[in-house]
Amino acid sequence: LVKRLHQARDDNAVRAVLINFGGTNFNLSQAHELRNALDDVRRSGKRSFVYADSFDTHTDVSAPGSPDICMLGGGEIMIPGIGLQTMFYKGLFDKLGVKADYVQIGEYKGADESYTRLGSSDELKGELNKITDGIYTHLVDGISKQRNISKDDVRQAIDEAIITGKQAFARKLVDHLIDQDGLRTLIKDEIGQEINLINDYGATLHERPDFSNPLSMLAALTRKSEPQTSKKSAVAIIYAEGMIVDGTAESGLFSNGSSIGSEDLRRAFRMAGRDDRVKAIVLRIDSPGGSALASEVMWQAARHAAMHKPLIISIGSMAASGGYYLASSGDYIIADPTAIVGSIGVVGGKFVLKDLFEKLGVNTEEFTRGRNADLFATDRPFSDRQRRMVTTWMRSTYDQFTERVMTG
């Protein structure tokens, strides 16, 4: 959508842009980027119109990039504010007979607190309050600036949560109360001439198959598009979206494939580094982290590529933990204002299921060789010696993490 808006911005044949927010689903960072793209359209001298039957927080963040916000008269704006919620399972685990035996390195690394505590530590509570304050302030400031209304008026609208179309119009949150069928006439009147609405502007066009011919339909289903090649200089874009995992990212029956495989990213950096046409690399990160080893593998691959070509990091909604580990490999880091960035620390451990097994009538027997063969056995906590060993191992990972950040 942003790419098509940029295309419209630079197209002299385009007089205006209309976006219909119907069934959209994006996060605050994407909403912010969309607002910036609409700002670009406005600055280019073109009109832009956005329409929705009703607006929510995310569409209400992006819509102000347009000077013409249109909404159904019977619709509403629902903007209840910014809320984060954490869930703690220790009470449930205590009842089930499960113990989370975890080691935490870094006092602000609260990833294990959901399993080990009944509520937030002071450190985690402070961080979550800072994040909530930051995003809320950004939300208020953005709407206030874009709509040219006071911050107090924006905060009042948020506190009321649900605002009718008439109230939204009176408060200058929207510019036109109109149904979708009236948009053509509205845009024609605003521009002052007849208009031609191009519904698929900028979309990739494909030849429409002949549904009356079974052979034609079969050919359309089996046709493979030939990759376009060019000898022009290029910028390579590599996407790192989802959980960071070792090896290759594989989608399973119950997953959407939203993971970053260390081998996949290493291969992508290698290809970009060896391609003489590629003059720079952009790494787009949207990740909460994951495997520390995979993060190190990707950091090394990224730094190797950065030795030969500029590497620019673009952070979407999140680059946390291993996501920031990877981000620190770049020459420049560019983050969305609402992105959650950082979370430097390490946690790890195991779930002890001994009491649960007893309740279920499950008995275990072990046959081991080697002093630490039972290191991750689920029927007992770490021994003091094992805990010291795990802590030393994780402290080493933490030191390496912080060293990567300092180096980058």
Side-chain angles (χ1 to χ4, degrees), residues 17 24 34 56 97 211 248 255 264-265 267 292 297 338 407:
V17 169
T24 54
L34 182 56
D56 60 15
F211 290 103
T248 58
S255 69
D264 298 326
L265 219 64
R267 189 181 307 113
V297 168
T338 61
T407 300

Side-chain angles (χ1 to χ4, degrees), residues 102-143:
Y102 270 68
V103 175
Q104 174 187 1
I105 307 294
E107 58 186 324
Y108 291 97
K109 185 70 173 181
D112 65 325
E113 292 192 11
S114 291
Y115 309 129
T116 60
R117 297 177 61 95
L118 297 173
S120 304
S121 65
D122 290 341
E123 290 83 2
L124 180 60
K125 196 171 294 182
E127 291 301 293
L128 295 180
N129 272 314
K130 279 201 300 183
I131 291 172
T132 309
D133 284 340
I135 298 176
Y136 177 78
T137 299
H138 182 76
L139 174 65
V140 172
D141 291 351
I143 296 176

Side-chain angles (χ1 to χ4, degrees), residues 210-223:
D210 180 5
F211 290 103
S212 64
N213 186 341
L215 294 178
S216 173
M217 290 181 61
L218 181 62
L221 291 172
T222 57
R223 184 186 300 125

